[in-house]
């Protein structure tokens, strides 16, 4: 388990990551940790019912096209490559009240090759796209789904923007 101040990520990769990639991953997970701590602390995500949460835990698999396609086919009946899949540990955290200091959200799978393709398409860095996908997936783990309604999609986009703006601010000043 890789420990970060607020976010604990147990990750493994089915694609080869260089030592440099692993260092970058650790740095970006620290950025995400600080941004998520802000979103929880300000009551932006999951509102004030989760103020007692001091640590959020996620299991992360970084995989290739074949594995993400297999998972997408198996769990969503969609036989295609996708960027991120979320497997929540809780049915729905939205209406819940949570008093424990640790919250395990669930499992994420992020496709390494799809992340590269999207970063190129959007003309951004790989790690910028990777962390966007991770934040997006974590919001899904909290029970939100952009495929449910346009209102839900707008809410998720708003939170992603807040998180990514916070990460941009953190990058500018350097992670703590």
């Amino acid at each position: 388990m890789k420990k970060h101040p607020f976010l604990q990520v147990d990750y493994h990769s089915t694609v080869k990551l260089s030592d440099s990639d692993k260092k970058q991953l650790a740095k970006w997970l620290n950025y995400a940790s600080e941004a998520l701590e802000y979103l929880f602390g300000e009551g932006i995500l999951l509102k004030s019912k989760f103020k007692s949460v001091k640590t959020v835990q996620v299991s992360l698999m970084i995989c290739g096209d074949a594995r993400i396609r297999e998972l997408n086919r198996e769990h969503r009946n969609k036989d295609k490559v996708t960027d991120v899949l979320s497997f929540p540990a809780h049915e729905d955290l939205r209406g819940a009240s949570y008093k424990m200091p640790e919250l395990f959200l669930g499992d994420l799978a992020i496709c390494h090759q799809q992340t590269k393709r999207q970063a190129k398409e959007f003309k951004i860095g790989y790690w910028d796209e990777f962390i966007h996908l991770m934040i997006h997936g974590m919001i899904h783990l909290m029970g939100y789904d952009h495929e449910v309604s346009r209102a839900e999609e707008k809410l998720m986009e708003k939170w992603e923007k807040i998180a990514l703006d916070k990460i941009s601010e953190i990058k500018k000043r350097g992670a703590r």
Side-chain angles (χ1 to χ4, degrees):
M1 175 106 37
K2 303 294 182 198
K3 294 200 177 192
H4 304 277
F6 182 74
L7 176 65
Q8 292 183 1
V9 179
D10 182 12
Y11 81 90
H12 72 280
S13 181
T14 63
V15 296
K16 183 156 178 51
L17 296 178
S18 69
D19 287 342
S20 174
D21 288 337
K22 291 174 187 173
K23 286 179 186 173
Q24 287 296 310
L25 178 59
K27 179 171 87 174
W28 282 85
L29 290 176
N30 275 320
Y31 295 159
S33 176
E34 195 170 332
L36 286 168
E37 185 174 23
Y38 169 78
L39 291 171
F40 270 78
E42 295 296 313
I44 296 166
L45 284 179
L46 298 177
K47 304 297 177 206
S48 60
K49 295 179 185 177
F50 285 74
K51 289 237 182 206
S52 66
V53 173
K54 304 294 181 221
T55 304
V56 171
Q57 300 168 336
V58 174
S59 176
L60 170 66
M61 175 177 55
I62 303 167
C63 61
D65 285 340
R67 182 68 178 129
I68 201 92
R69 182 177 179 179
E70 176 186 344
L71 290 169
N72 202 18
R73 181 176 53 243
E74 185 178 314
H75 295 280
R76 299 180 66 225
N77 294 319
K78 295 186 178 188
D79 190 16
K80 64 180 186 174
V81 171
T82 190
D83 48 13
V84 61
L85 290 172
S86 304
F87 304 96
H90 308 274
E91 192 170 317
D92 187 3
L93 289 172
R94 294 154 60 133
S97 183
Y98 200 80
K99 303 287 187 225
M100 303 297 290
E102 293 181 352
L103 173 62
F104 177 68
L105 289 177
D107 304 318
L108 293 176
I110 296 178
C111 181
H112 180 65
Q113 287 93 339
Q114 186 65 20
T115 303
K116 280 184 177 179
R117 288 188 289 268
Q118 289 176 192
K120 184 177 180 182
E121 176 187 342
F122 302 142
K123 296 178 175 61
I124 59 174
Y126 172 86
W127 292 107
D128 289 296
E129 179 62 8
F130 180 91
I131 214 67
H132 183 192
L133 294 174
M134 186 167 170
I135 297 291
H136 179 86
M138 290 182 71
I139 294 171
H140 275 299
L141 292 177
M142 292 174 213
Y144 294 88
D145 189 349
H146 53 85
E147 293 180 3
V148 170
S149 70
R150 181 68 181 132
E152 191 110 334
E153 181 180 14
K154 284 185 167 287
L155 185 60
M156 286 183 71
E157 287 172 356
K158 174 184 166 187
W159 290 341
E160 288 171 23
K161 182 177 180 344
I162 292 169
L164 295 173
D165 287 349
K166 188 69 176 173
I167 289 169
S168 182
E169 174 189 313
I170 295 162
K171 283 171 37 182
K172 285 178 185 166
R173 69 168 161 74
R176 59 177 161 166

